[in-house]
Amino acid sequence: MILAENPGRSNVDPLWIGPQHRDKEPSSSLIMTSSTALLFCAALLCFLVCSCVGTTPPAVARKPCEYNEIKRCNQQFKQVFLDAKNPGGRNIPIAWKRVYCRALQTFMNCLEQSLASCVGGDWLQNYSFVVLEHGVMDKKCGVCPRHDYSNLERVMHATNKSDYVGFDVCPSCAKGVHRRCVRRFLHKMAADSNICHDVQEFISCYKEEGNPKRSCATTKIIRNFSTLCTKLGEKMLQEDKTHPGLMC
């Protein structure tokens, strides 16, 4: 008995299909092209994701009020000296030191008000911290014993800063250092009315006194304040080159 062939099925064993009947395999060039395309798509997707969620946030722009407030307080500081009579000569009289103390107190009072009206600016914060530290040195080292910076200290949360000189004592050698640097500042001011040159003289004095070879350089208060003058103090002077009229 012969079984009838099923017209809908092929009698050819699929395991024995000849090369002429098999589906053609994709060429190696096509495989390579597909792989390259997949890699490119993956790389592009990775780039887009990183661009959206992995970018570095832009630097915080300085607020216009910071520039205005720093300039305003600098002008008030300078005006105290301009209103006083130039002592002249080599010896700085006691009255001129009082002018210096009044100028620093005016500066601190002005910055205290500025921090209340121009909130959140790092530039103004750093600037105010330098002036506050200067006022603290004046008081602790006996140059301006009547300085009052308690409000500025509170507004700035200065006591939360580990390098705040308000925690340090001012021994006799440190008192001598600070008085010498203030004297150099005043002598420079008597000869040169450019406040930036005068401040640079003060900073240079502290950089010299902070030299490890100096006898008082190991004192904590001198070491901390000298570091502050070198870092933030110098930066303050550089800002005037970027923003002419800010200080000088």
Side-chain angles (χ1 to χ4, degrees):
M1 179 177 178
I2 301 175
L3 295 175
E5 294 183 356
N6 188 342
R9 293 182 60 183
S10 172
N11 291 327
V12 181
D13 189 340
L15 296 177
W16 292 98
I17 295 177
Q20 69 275 18
H21 296 291
R22 293 177 184 167
D23 293 332
K24 292 184 179 180
E25 294 180 0
S27 65
S28 60
S29 61
L30 181 59
I31 294 174
M32 290 296 294
T33 303
S34 300
S35 300
T36 303
L38 287 173
L39 288 173
F40 174 78
C41 291
L44 180 61
L45 179 62
C46 181
F47 172 77
L48 292 174
V49 171
C50 291
S51 298
C52 292
V53 301
T55 53
T56 302
V60 178
R62 288 176 172 177
K63 302 170 69 174
C65 64
E66 291 183 273
Y67 171 82
N68 295 332
E69 290 302 315
I70 291 173
K71 184 176 181 179
R72 181 177 70 87
C73 292
N74 264 296
Q75 289 175 341
Q76 288 191 18
F77 172 71
K78 291 187 290 185
Q79 194 61 45
V80 175
F81 289 102
L82 293 174
D83 291 343
K85 183 179 179 180
N86 190 320
R90 295 186 59 186
N91 296 322
I92 304 298
I94 295 176
W96 193 242
K97 291 180 182 178
R98 290 175 182 166
V99 172
Y100 163 82
C101 293
R102 186 163 66 249
L104 253 295
Q105 185 66 61
T106 300
F107 210 169
M108 290 188 290
N109 293 346
C110 181
L111 289 170
E112 176 197 337
Q113 298 169 1
S114 298
L115 289 167
S117 61
C118 182
V119 181
D122 289 340
W123 189 19
L124 180 58
Q125 284 279 338
N126 290 334
Y127 203 96
S128 300
F129 186 64
V130 173
V131 176
L132 171 62
E133 293 264 272
H134 195 139
V136 172
M137 290 294 294
D138 283 342
K139 185 170 185 175
K140 280 183 169 286
C141 297
V143 174
C144 303
R146 295 184 179 180
H147 268 345
D148 181 7
Y149 43 76
S150 56
N151 288 336
L152 181 59
E153 184 181 57
R154 175 182 51 78
V155 170
M156 295 200 63
H157 306 288
T159 55
N160 293 335
K161 301 178 184 293
S162 59
D163 56 347
Y164 181 46
V165 296
F167 298 127
D168 304 332
V169 296
C170 188
S172 58
C173 73
K175 290 179 180 179
V177 167
H178 192 66
R179 287 171 180 169
R180 283 195 297 274
C181 291
V182 169
R183 185 175 292 272
R184 281 177 58 170
F185 169 82
L186 292 175
H187 276 301
K188 184 69 175 178
M189 176 167 281
D192 187 347
S193 60
N194 187 315
I195 194 69
C196 286
H197 297 168
D198 308 331
V199 172
Q200 182 62 68
E201 182 69 20
F202 181 84
I203 292 174
S204 297
C205 177
Y206 257 99
K207 288 172 71 175
E208 295 168 11
E209 296 294 343
N211 189 309
K213 296 181 180 180
R214 295 296 181 97
S215 59
C216 202
T218 56
T219 305
K220 186 179 179 183
I221 196 169
I222 295 298
R223 186 174 66 249
N224 286 343
F225 191 65
S226 177
T227 300
L228 179 82
C229 288
T230 303
K231 292 182 178 179
L232 290 181
E234 293 279 8
K235 186 177 180 180
M236 285 168 55
L237 293 177
Q238 290 297 323
E239 293 288 359
D240 192 78
K241 296 179 180 179
T242 307
H243 307 279
L246 181 69
M247 287 181 61
C248 307

